[in-house]
Amino acid sequence: MDTLAAGVTQLRIQRFVNVYFVETGTPGEWVLIDTGLPGSKKTILAAADKLFYPGSHPEAIILTHGHLDHLGSAKELADHWNVPIVVHPLELPYVTGQALYPPRDPTVGGSLAFMSRFFPTQLPNLTDRVQALDADDPSTPFLMNWRWLHVPGHAPGQLAFFREADRVLIGADAFATCHHDSVPAILLAAPKISRAGTPFNYDWEASRKSVQTLAALEPQAIGCGHGPVIIGPEAAAGLHQLADNYPIPTHGRYVNEPARTDASGVEHLPPAPKDTLPLKAAIIGGSLLTAGAAWLLTGRRKHKKSKAYKKAYKAAKKSGSYKSFTPPPLYRGGVGS
């Protein structure tokens, strides 16, 4: 666990994604922001017991957005603690099973994009626990010293959180504090303010504007969904650098045309570019299968050769004619060689 600021602790889940324990200002009261991957319940419970007291529970769970690596353990934790889950209204259709997010774009490039082909698309259904925050009230439920900001482009109802008093920013996946296009870089957690979630960004212009909005806050401490805590002048400087030179990919499904969403889910999708990897994988797999079959066949032939040779040689030796022994046809040149 790492301290982002007074009363704000970052917990890294499976070396990949972050959750945040944020104190409300009332002793013993806190809120959990995001819940990590599925299966993170025990890790989060143990961290809460260590930070506060055994059996401690939050006032609520607030999700920055509903992607699986942020929502994954929300239902289990909310049921365990008997607390609500709060999201932006535009996230409701996705976290209640009414809609699917815009499809990921594995053709955009990078190792995260490659891996995204294998990520599940179905999400746990939070219908019994979820509540929408008031879209007209920028104050954060249970965290009166914090305000939320709507930062779409990566998810339609993505939220970031800012505490003006000490300029602390929880930036969700509007950007990352590591090189998020690379899975190895995410696991190593080398600090670097960069664009986030490339294969999941469905609106690149909205993503750029969200980063510009957050850079204008001049944060002095930053924690995101992915990557380490960054504190000090380099926080604002790095975010301004990203905002001023936001790198939109050169190719990909959403580069020239974004997906469009509304309160019900996805309204429009641009056509998907051809993904050649499955075909390449099928060709490689077929080649490996053919090579394996040839290897097995060759091995069997050699085994037959050996048995035939030994049998013929023994027979020749027994008859006293082994000096003029001629190998059997299976062992000589031609089909059997």
Side-chain angles (χ1 to χ4, degrees):
M1 289 188 284
D2 294 299
T3 299
L4 174 60
V8 186
T9 301
Q10 180 197 81
L11 172 66
R12 197 173 182 203
I13 301 291
Q14 296 181 16
R15 299 176 59 81
F16 179 70
V17 65
N18 302 318
V19 305
Y20 292 88
F21 300 86
V22 184
E23 298 178 28
T24 66
T26 300
E29 293 186 0
W30 54 282
V31 164
L32 180 68
I33 294 181
D34 286 343
T35 65
L37 294 158
S40 303
K41 174 185 171 183
K42 289 183 179 179
T43 301
I44 292 171
L45 290 177
D49 289 350
K50 183 177 180 180
L51 275 173
F52 303 105
Y53 54 84
S56 176
H57 66 80
E59 302 303 300
I61 295 168
I62 303 179
L63 298 179
T64 59
H65 59 296
H67 288 172
L68 188 62
D69 54 338
H70 297 259
L71 162 147
S73 299
K75 181 68 166 58
E76 284 185 293
L77 288 167
D79 288 345
H80 177 83
W81 285 323
N82 192 27
V83 297
I85 301 168
V86 181
V87 301
H88 189 280
L90 291 177
E91 290 294 285
L92 282 176
Y94 310 105
V95 303
T96 57
Q98 303 303 305
L100 294 176
Y101 282 108
R104 82 279 311 257
D105 179 12
T107 68
V108 75
S111 57
L112 182 65
F114 173 82
M115 293 296 295
S116 73
R117 291 176 172 86
F118 312 106
F119 292 175
T121 55
Q122 292 291 338
L123 299 172
N125 192 319
L126 307 183
T127 299
D128 295 340
R129 290 287 180 182
V130 73
Q131 299 177 6
L133 55 72
D134 184 350
D136 296 320
D137 182 1
S139 63
T140 303
F142 306 101
L143 298 174
M144 293 300 105
N145 294 324
W146 293 76
R147 63 185 173 101
W148 59 264
L149 298 96
H150 182 211
V151 284
H154 180 76
Q158 181 173 238
L159 298 169
F161 302 94
F162 186 64
R163 188 167 67 185
E164 186 77 35
D166 51 359
R167 315 199 75 76
V168 180
L169 173 65
I170 298 175
D173 281 2
F175 62 101
T177 54
C178 63
H179 179 41
H180 199 201
D181 289 342
S182 165
V183 173
I186 297 171
L187 298 177
L188 290 171
K192 177 180 173 60
I193 290 180
S194 70
R195 67 186 182 191
T198 304
F200 303 97
N201 291 342
Y202 68 93
D203 186 332
W204 284 101
E205 188 56 37
S207 296
R208 173 171 28 204
K209 289 180 179 178
S210 290
V211 170
Q212 292 170 342
T213 295
L214 297 178
L217 299 174
E218 302 289 342
Q220 293 301 300
I222 290 174
C224 286
H226 304 272
V229 165
I230 296 180
I231 299 172
E234 58 267 33
L239 193 51
H240 274 296
Q241 173 68 20
L242 180 65
D244 294 342
N245 303 278
Y246 191 80
I248 294 177
T250 57
H251 60 275
R253 182 172 191 172
Y254 305 112
V255 170
N256 296 317
E257 181 187 4
R260 294 196 299 269
T261 65
D262 57 22
S264 300
V266 177
E267 179 189 24
H268 168 77
L269 288 172
K274 186 175 182 180
D275 185 0
T276 60
L277 183 67
L279 177 60
K280 290 178 181 177
I283 292 172
I284 293 171
S287 299
L288 290 173
L289 185 62
T290 301
W295 180 81
L296 287 172
L297 181 58
T298 301
R300 286 176 179 173
R301 283 176 174 171
K302 286 182 178 179
H303 182 64
K304 288 180 180 178
K305 291 176 188 178
S306 177
K307 288 179 68 176
Y309 183 93
K310 289 178 181 178
K311 185 176 180 180
Y313 182 79
K314 284 181 180 180
K317 188 174 181 181
K318 188 175 181 179
S319 66
S321 59
Y322 65 91
K323 289 184 179 180
S324 59
F325 169 65
T326 301
L330 187 61
Y331 200 81
R332 295 198 297 270
V335 177
S337 62

